[in-house]
Amino acid sequence: MDIDDLLAEVAVDSTPEESRDLQELTRAWVAERTAPEILNWPEELMERVLERVRRQIELVEDQTGNMDPKTNFKLIVIQTELERFKFLVRSFLRARLNKIDQHPLHIRAQHTASLDSTQPLLSPSELQYLTSHQALLSQHYSASFLSQFPASLQRLDDTTGGISMVDKPDEDRAVFRQMPRIE
Amino acid sequence: MYGETANKLVQNAKRTLALPHLPPYQSELIRSVVREVRDLDKDVASLLAPYSGSFNPASSPETACALLVNHLCMRRNKRCLLAYHKVRSDKLEEYCWNGVDVLEQQAQKANGSNAGAGGAAGAESSLSPEEEEYVRQYSDLLAAYKGQWTDIDLTGSLEPPKDLFIDVRVLKDAGEIQTEYGSITLTKNSQFYVRHGDVERLIQQGYLQRLS
């Protein structure tokens, strides 16, 4: 971070929405990849970003075939930018899915608790993925061995005996945090 | 007794983590662990039977101890079974994400060894029937989730993109592909300078090799 970034942050209105979104997306991506727990789904940001990606893809499709060297060069720049955006979004989504797969029951409980607040934890499609994946898994366990167990031992979220079966991410893990330096 | 077989399962799972392929499903071990749990459960029931529901641990500590050991063993066995299946299903999911068709591979393996051994005692699939079903359903689930992000291509590369165009060498004939810059015929050993996005899948499938 240098002084330009700081100034840009103070004068939010002077930076175009596009660059601000890129900055936000990059931050969300970095935060999601370093945080041990899953973070809130940035719905509005993602909608704006996806809409822009869609528009750029259309633009690229429209303009290909145009052999004018100038447009051709512009297109390459656009496509490079597009690939980078797609990478950011893809990596962001995959990082979230990874966490969902690791701690499904814990995250589902957290999501249900977050429904009352303004910002839910998961996007609708993530919740759907979580629910169906969990259903598949427990069906798989049950078909493989669990159905032959005594009834009292068939649960997957048992907490008796002092040990909870629901795994939690290590929320006390050390994380790195970048602070804008203010002098 | 008392968790020995389950330990073998856990060791097997631990080995699986480091292997590139999936070792055969240990259905025999699984069955004996399940049998052990059922025996233990019967033991618990017969231990408790004389007390008819009014068991006081303080009055007969030796029975209480036996019960505790049995309970802990059952729980431990359950945990080991869950861990074993989880490791395997994680691996299967990873195959789905990487676009590897496990079911087809297994079928090929079975066919191949059938032919080799003159049709006698072909190698069985490394997957249990339940796991095959799981793979099928998980790929459906994955396809459904991916379908909501068609612009992003979720299974794409997780390496940050550096260049829009890359050099590739063709390892296997892949026929003709259509790109925005016209069509290219991919014949073995030829080399091309193409857009990364166009050939990403072909690289994953092993038709092309990226030259750095």
Side-chain angles (χ1 to χ4, degrees):
Chain A
M1 273 245 174
D2 57 22
I3 191 72
D4 287 335
D5 289 321
L6 277 181
L7 285 178
E9 269 191 79
V10 178
V12 162
D13 290 334
S14 64
T15 40
E17 200 190 25
E18 285 86 345
S19 358
R20 250 185 301 144
D21 279 351
L22 175 60
Q23 204 177 36
E24 265 187 63
L25 179 66
T26 317
R27 277 196 197 140
W29 172 64
V30 172
E32 193 69 62
R33 280 177 61 99
T34 46
E37 78 269 33
I38 198 162
L39 304 171
N40 283 339
W41 172 246
E43 187 175 355
E44 283 170 23
L45 171 69
M46 288 311 274
E47 263 173 26
R48 285 199 300 270
V49 169
L50 287 178
E51 169 65 24
R52 221 163 279 138
V53 166
R54 208 174 47 78
R55 275 213 306 269
Q56 292 291 63
I57 289 181
E58 269 172 21
L59 182 74
V60 170
E61 278 171 2
D62 265 9
Q63 304 267 326
T64 26
N66 189 335
M67 277 305 154
D68 176 24
K70 241 185 186 166
T71 5
N72 226 321
F73 179 69
K74 210 176 87 191
L75 267 188
I76 289 184
V77 175
I78 293 179
Q79 287 185 29
T80 309
E81 190 207 23
L82 199 57
E83 285 302 318
R84 291 185 180 170
F85 256 95
K86 278 161 72 170
F87 164 73
L88 274 182
V89 177
R90 181 190 308 145
S91 183
F92 177 69
L93 289 172
R94 291 282 298 263
R96 292 177 63 88
L97 268 194
N98 192 13
K99 288 182 195 175
I100 292 178
D101 278 344
Q102 266 174 25
H103 307 287
L105 296 171
H106 175 69
I107 288 178
R108 187 163 60 192
Q110 273 193 327
H111 174 74
T112 323
S114 76
L115 281 180
D116 300 330
S117 66
T118 44
Q119 222 182 0
L121 194 62
L122 303 176
S123 73
S125 56
E126 279 172 337
L127 179 65
Q128 203 189 355
Y129 172 84
L130 192 161
T131 323
S132 348
H133 188 197
Q134 203 45 37
L136 275 186
L137 264 183
S138 49
Q139 201 186 328
H140 173 56
Y141 292 146
S142 163
S144 299
F145 62 93
L146 214 51
S147 59
Q148 301 163 42
F149 264 48
S152 59
L153 282 173
Q154 286 193 5
R155 290 180 55 179
L156 284 178
D157 53 355
D158 213 349
T159 50
T160 49
I163 305 167
S164 170
M165 279 182 73
V166 181
D167 232 2
K168 249 171 52 165
D170 181 7
E171 282 164 1
D172 297 330
R173 206 184 72 190
V175 291
F176 288 95
R177 192 188 163 95
Q178 190 183 38
M179 295 287 276
R181 204 173 43 180
I182 296 165
E183 291 177 25
Chain B
M1 246 321 183
Y2 292 126
E4 233 185 277
T5 28
N7 205 27
K8 279 187 204 149
L9 268 189
V10 172
Q11 276 166 355
N12 190 292
K14 182 96 185 165
R15 251 201 321 276
T16 308
L17 282 178
L19 289 177
H21 61 275
L22 209 58
Y25 186 75
Q26 302 288 326
S27 42
E28 203 45 58
L29 274 180
I30 306 273
R31 258 200 298 276
S32 62
V33 176
V34 170
R35 224 173 11 243
E36 185 182 314
V37 169
R38 295 169 70 88
D39 284 348
L40 287 171
D41 191 50
K42 258 185 239 149
D43 263 12
V44 168
S46 65
L47 275 174
L48 279 175
Y51 298 95
S52 61
S54 59
F55 176 67
N56 181 8
S59 60
S60 49
E62 65 283 355
T63 324
C65 178
L67 282 177
L68 181 69
V69 171
N70 281 359
H71 263 300
L72 289 179
C73 282
M74 282 195 280
R75 278 174 191 282
R76 183 171 180 283
N77 281 347
K78 176 180 173 187
R79 233 189 130 135
C80 295
L81 281 170
L82 281 173
Y84 178 75
H85 284 84
K86 178 76 178 141
V87 165
R88 290 180 67 92
S89 56
D90 276 353
K91 208 145 193 145
L92 294 173
E93 282 164 26
E94 196 187 310
Y95 289 142
C96 288
W97 276 100
N98 294 340
V100 182
D101 195 336
V102 202
L103 298 174
E104 198 175 297
Q105 267 183 8
Q106 295 297 335
Q108 268 175 10
K109 200 174 113 190
N111 284 339
S113 56
N114 262 342
E124 276 182 37
S125 163
S126 307
L127 275 61
S128 72
E130 290 85 13
E131 281 176 327
E132 285 180 9
E133 183 61 26
Y134 180 75
V135 171
R136 256 189 291 274
Q137 288 179 340
Y138 188 78
S139 350
D140 287 350
L141 172 64
L142 182 59
Y145 186 73
K146 244 168 62 180
Q148 301 177 17
W149 304 96
T150 38
D151 287 347
I152 305 299
D153 183 21
L154 268 188
T155 41
S157 165
L158 289 177
E159 291 288 313
K162 283 212 183 82
D163 307 301
L164 197 52
F165 289 88
I166 53 167
D167 275 310
V168 290
R169 177 174 296 150
V170 186
L171 299 176
K172 283 187 272 181
D173 280 331
E176 195 177 299
I177 58 162
Q178 294 289 334
T179 68
E180 282 156 24
Y181 300 92
S183 64
I184 315 172
T185 313
L186 300 170
T187 42
K188 195 175 170 181
N189 291 332
S190 49
Q191 218 165 295
F192 294 99
Y193 185 61
V194 287
R195 208 166 70 118
H196 191 194
D198 289 337
V199 295
E200 171 115 40
R201 295 296 301 170
L202 290 168
I203 295 177
Q204 271 183 7
Q205 288 163 1
Y207 283 103
L208 303 180
Q209 182 192 26
R210 184 176 176 165
L211 306 171
S212 50

